[in-house]
């Protein structure tokens, strides 16, 4: 037996193992990435995709996972479903104190104690080149164009989407602004059986939605979420859609702006916005009531108190706030 | 001897290889979602109609069974499915309680506080918006509302909405329906008379 040969073989073997466990193999070792779970409102998906890419580029050991929901459903992931979420961002800031400034029975602490408003938005009328009267519509005549019998209009479901009840608020505010009480019925109310009737409740124009929100004719189209309304718009199934300006821009749609008195964008008109109310057909979530009263659109971000990665979450939220100040395609409007 | 040493060397290298040097680690280190046990022995379904009835999961499973294709999409376009859904049709479940009539509504809710309302047309399979797998709207084929307790041949897990979840099913494959109606963790069904 050649002892030297055996020693050489053992040494070679040792070297291979050493190399494998250090240089060569360590490049193949993938340490588990830290998952940062972020739940934004649907209208924030496009800008948050941008934040995700830049954040992961700065933090190669972090996997940002974005999961979009309607704003209420986003909060429910924390409050009702008790999921470990790092960042929640909503299109209606008032939902956070309403739903999260309360004690989580599993921890004894509030779901959250603070939030950061970071953007606003405006409701607009989105359309395409294929839309009927696309060459005619302006910010001044939009309601007359949408009222024409051959024009089809789309909104998202107010039961599911803040943009949905905000669309109805815009139509109610338009009634007041243009001093034309037939507008809401022509655009929305008369396309249900029975029709939605505007009631004056202490100076607040109020509509009560039916439990099942299905239009009775083809003038009005309602879909669960904005993406389906816009998909229908792009396919030519409808001519116009009530939508957030940032979402219309993000989808490269044409749009006309509405007067600030009715587009829910300006704190200067908060009192005016508060004169319309939508009462949902049923309490979809036991944690939140059915009344939605008009107010300026404010986006906000919060970090739940049980977030698994608080420091990273704060850093992510800070990036959102910073980028929102700059704005850009698909971003809601920066707060002043 | 040399053969033995060679074997040892090969085994050493292989063990190093297999120990994780080349393995791809999962891209997650977050805590899993806290889930109650998938043993649903204390669960029961309450059906409030002209009479009040309660069902255990075993009793539900003994009702007439229906299987169909289910495929849902969330409000932001996330698709869930396609699934092979097995369970009891809502119409079959309501039949012993007198069924429903035109103008009635069915309210289906869960202990997490979620509620969805179906009208008579929907209980009969009409009035749903349907998409193809590319989320383009299509004409609705015949649909049915199922209370699903098995998904893809396995008992429905808690994470998937078990023990009982609403599924909108079709005989056709690739028919996507809006997910808001797919109530998870169903434990109460009420008929609201006109």
């Amino acid at each position: 037996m050649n002892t030297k040969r055996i020693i050489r073989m053992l040494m070679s073997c040792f070297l291979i193992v050493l190399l494998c466990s250090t240089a060569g193999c360590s490049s193949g070792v993938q340490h588990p990435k830290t998952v940062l779970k972020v739940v934004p409102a649907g209208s924030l998906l496009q800008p948050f995709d941008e934040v995700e890419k830049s954040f992961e580029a700065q933090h190669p050991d972090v996997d940002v996972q974005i999961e979009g929901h309607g704003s209420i459903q986003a909060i429910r992931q924390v409050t009702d479903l008790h999921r470990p979420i790092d960042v929640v961002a909503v299109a209606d800031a008032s939902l956070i104190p309403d739903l999260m400034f309360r004690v989580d029975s599993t921890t004894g602490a509030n779901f959250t104690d603070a939030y950061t408003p970071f953007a606003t938005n405006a409701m607009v009328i989105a359309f395409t080149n294929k839309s009927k009267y696309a060459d005619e519509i302006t910010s001044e005549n939009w309601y007359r164009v949408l009222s024409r019998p051959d024009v089809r209009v789309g909104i998202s479901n107010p039961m599911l989407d803040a943009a949905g009840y905000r669309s109805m608020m815009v139509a109610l505010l338009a009634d007041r602004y243009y001093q034309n009480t037939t507008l809401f019925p022509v655009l929305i109310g008369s396309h249900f059986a029975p029709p939605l009737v505007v009631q004056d409740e202490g100076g607040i124009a109020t509509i009560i939605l039916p439990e099942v929100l299905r239009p009775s004719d083809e003038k009005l189209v309602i879909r669960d979420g904005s993406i389906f309304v816009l998909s229908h718009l792009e396919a030519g199934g409808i001519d116009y859609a009530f939508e957030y300006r940032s979402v219309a821009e993000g989808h490269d749609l044409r749009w006309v702006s509405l007067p600030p008195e009715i587009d829910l964008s300006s704190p200067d008109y908060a009192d005016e916005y508060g004169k319309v109310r939508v009462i949902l057909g049923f309490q979809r979530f036991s944690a939140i009531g059915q009344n939605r009263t008009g107010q300026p659109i404010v986006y906000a971000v919060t970090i739940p108190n049980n977030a698994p990665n608080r420091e990273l979450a704060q850093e992510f939220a800070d990036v959102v706030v910073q980028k929102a100040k700059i704005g850009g395609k698909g971003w809601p409007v920066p707060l002043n | 001897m040399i053969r033995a040493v060679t074997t040892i060397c090969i085994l050493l290298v292989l063990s190093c290889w297999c120990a994780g040097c080349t393995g791809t680690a999962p891209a997650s280190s977050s805590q899993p979602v806290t889930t109650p046990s998938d043993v649903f022995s204390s669960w029961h379904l309450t059906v409030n109609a002209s009479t009040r009835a309660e069902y255990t999961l075993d009793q539900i499973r003994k009702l007439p069974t229906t299987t169909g294709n289910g495929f849902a999409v969330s409000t932001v376009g996330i698709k869930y499915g396609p699934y092979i859904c097995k369970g009891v049709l809502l119409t079959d479940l309501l039949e012993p309680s007198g069924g429903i009539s035109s103008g009635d509504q069915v309210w289906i809710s869960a202990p997490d506080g979620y509620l969805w309302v179906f009208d008579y047309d929907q209980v009969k399979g009409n009035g749903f918006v349907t998409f193809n797998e590319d989320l383009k709207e299509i004409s609705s084929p015949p649909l049915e509302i199922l209370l699903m307790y098995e998904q893809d041949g396995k008992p429905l897990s808690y994470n998937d909405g078990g023990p009982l979840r609403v599924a909108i099913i079709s005989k056709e494959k690739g028919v996507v329906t809006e997910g808001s109606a797919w109530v998870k963790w169903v434990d109460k069904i009420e008929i609201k008379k006109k």
Side-chain angles (χ1 to χ4, degrees):
Chain A
M1 178 67 212
N2 187 339
T3 309
K4 282 184 180 174
R5 192 175 171 194
I6 292 172
I7 290 172
R8 268 204 308 274
M9 282 186 68
L10 282 170
M11 285 187 69
S12 302
C13 185
F14 176 75
L15 275 173
I16 291 170
V17 170
L18 193 65
L19 284 171
C20 186
S21 62
T22 56
C25 217
S26 63
S27 64
V29 173
Q30 295 183 14
H31 294 291
K33 289 188 176 184
T34 299
V35 170
L36 194 70
K37 199 78 183 175
V38 179
V39 180
S43 56
L44 290 169
L45 279 173
Q46 187 172 352
F48 271 48
D49 185 50
E50 179 189 324
V51 178
E52 176 187 356
K53 287 188 175 77
S54 67
F55 198 84
E56 287 180 340
Q58 289 180 341
H59 299 276
D61 56 338
V62 175
D63 176 19
V64 177
Q65 293 185 357
I66 307 275
E67 181 182 311
H69 290 283
S71 292
I72 295 172
Q73 191 71 314
I75 289 175
R76 282 185 80 246
Q77 303 302 309
V78 176
T79 58
D80 291 351
L81 304 181
H82 302 288
R83 296 179 59 199
I85 304 296
D86 292 298
V87 179
V88 174
V90 294
D92 185 346
S94 68
L95 293 171
I96 295 176
D98 282 356
L99 297 176
M100 299 185 80
F101 285 12
R102 56 191 177 92
V103 174
D104 176 358
S105 60
T106 61
T107 64
N110 280 355
F111 290 108
T112 193
D113 293 302
Y115 63 97
T116 307
F118 66 91
T120 181
N121 218 330
M123 297 302 294
V124 300
I125 306 299
F127 62 104
T128 72
N129 289 334
K130 290 184 287 188
S131 302
K132 289 190 180 79
Y133 314 112
D135 54 346
E136 276 185 47
I137 190 165
T138 66
S139 294
E140 288 71 42
N141 71 5
W142 67 272
Y143 58 96
R144 285 195 288 269
V145 172
L146 267 61
S147 298
R148 291 173 182 165
D150 58 341
V151 170
R152 298 184 70 191
V153 178
I155 64 172
S156 52
N157 191 333
M159 292 296 301
L160 302 164
D161 188 356
Y165 56 75
R166 284 170 170 157
S167 302
M168 292 195 159
M169 289 171 180
V170 167
L172 287 169
L173 287 165
D175 260 12
R176 300 169 64 88
Y177 180 74
Y178 296 107
Q179 298 181 327
N180 179 350
T181 55
T182 64
L183 269 184
F184 180 83
V186 169
L187 295 177
I188 293 175
S190 65
H191 308 291
F192 293 91
L196 306 184
V197 177
V198 182
Q199 300 171 22
D200 187 320
E201 294 186 353
I204 299 175
T206 303
I207 52 163
I208 301 173
L209 303 184
E211 290 88 352
V212 177
L213 203 60
R214 194 182 320 138
S216 55
D217 60 40
E218 295 190 340
K219 165 83 176 176
L220 181 68
V221 167
I222 296 180
R223 294 291 178 266
D224 269 11
S226 282
I227 64 158
F228 304 117
V229 177
L230 297 185
S231 170
H232 214 43
L233 177 65
E234 286 161 340
I238 55 175
D239 300 294
Y240 296 93
F242 287 83
E243 188 48 87
Y244 293 125
R245 192 174 88 188
S246 65
V247 176
E249 284 174 338
H251 280 74
D252 294 320
L253 293 166
R254 296 179 66 186
W255 50 273
V256 292
S257 59
L258 303 173
E261 289 88 344
I262 68 172
D263 73 356
L264 303 175
S265 69
S266 171
D268 295 343
Y269 296 103
D271 289 346
E272 194 61 25
Y273 302 158
K275 291 175 182 167
V276 298
R277 179 164 55 211
V278 176
I279 300 179
L280 305 182
F282 60 90
Q283 196 165 339
R284 180 176 169 228
F285 303 114
S286 58
I288 187 165
Q290 293 163 257
N291 291 2
R292 302 284 184 274
T293 302
Q295 54 186 325
I297 300 167
V298 178
Y299 286 74
V301 62
T302 188
I303 297 159
N305 280 333
N306 66 345
N309 308 288
R310 286 195 67 80
E311 284 187 16
L312 275 172
Q314 187 62 59
E315 198 177 332
F316 186 93
D318 290 344
V319 173
V320 168
V321 172
Q322 287 306 314
K323 284 189 175 284
K325 285 179 182 168
I326 301 166
K329 185 179 177 186
W331 278 90
V333 181
L335 280 176
N336 290 326
Chain B
M1 180 67 178
I2 290 175
R3 186 173 294 166
V5 170
T6 305
T7 306
I8 288 168
C9 284
I10 291 170
L11 284 174
L12 203 55
V13 172
L14 275 177
S15 64
C16 174
W17 189 268
C18 294
C21 280
T22 59
T24 302
S28 171
S29 61
S30 66
Q31 296 296 309
V33 174
T34 305
T35 55
S37 165
D38 281 356
V39 178
F40 302 114
S41 54
S42 62
W43 175 91
H44 64 266
L45 172 71
T46 302
V47 179
N48 279 328
S50 51
T51 57
R52 185 174 186 276
E54 287 195 354
Y55 296 87
T56 65
L57 189 54
D58 280 345
Q59 288 170 322
I60 295 275
R61 285 176 168 277
K62 286 173 184 162
L63 295 173
T65 296
T66 297
T67 300
N69 300 290
F71 206 163
V73 63
S74 78
T75 53
V76 297
I78 302 170
K79 289 187 285 187
Y80 297 91
Y83 305 122
I84 302 295
C85 307
K86 180 178 173 183
V88 55
L89 288 176
L90 180 60
T91 46
D92 288 343
L93 185 67
L94 297 178
E95 199 55 43
S97 306
I100 72 165
S101 309
S102 179
D104 292 348
Q105 292 179 341
V106 178
W107 293 40
I108 300 184
S109 58
D112 70 326
Y114 192 90
L115 163 69
W116 198 250
V117 177
F118 299 88
D119 64 13
Y120 176 80
D121 282 348
Q122 289 172 324
V123 173
K124 296 296 180 185
N126 304 310
F128 291 102
V129 176
T130 48
F131 307 89
N132 65 18
E133 293 186 47
D134 298 323
L135 299 182
K136 302 296 178 198
E137 286 195 27
I138 56 173
S139 301
S140 178
L143 299 171
E144 293 175 302
I145 300 177
L146 187 79
L147 278 309
M148 168 170 61
Y149 50 72
E150 267 188 38
Q151 182 174 284
D152 296 332
K154 295 176 185 167
L156 192 61
S157 71
Y158 179 83
N159 270 352
D160 286 325
L164 201 65
R165 178 185 193 176
V166 171
I168 313 300
I169 60 167
S170 165
K171 287 188 170 56
E172 294 180 23
K173 291 182 177 177
V175 178
V176 181
T177 55
E178 293 175 311
S180 50
W182 289 54
V183 184
K184 288 180 172 179
W185 310 301
V186 173
D187 74 343
K188 190 174 181 184
I189 298 176
E190 291 180 271
I191 296 180
K192 303 278 188 180
K193 289 289 179 187
K194 184 167 60 173

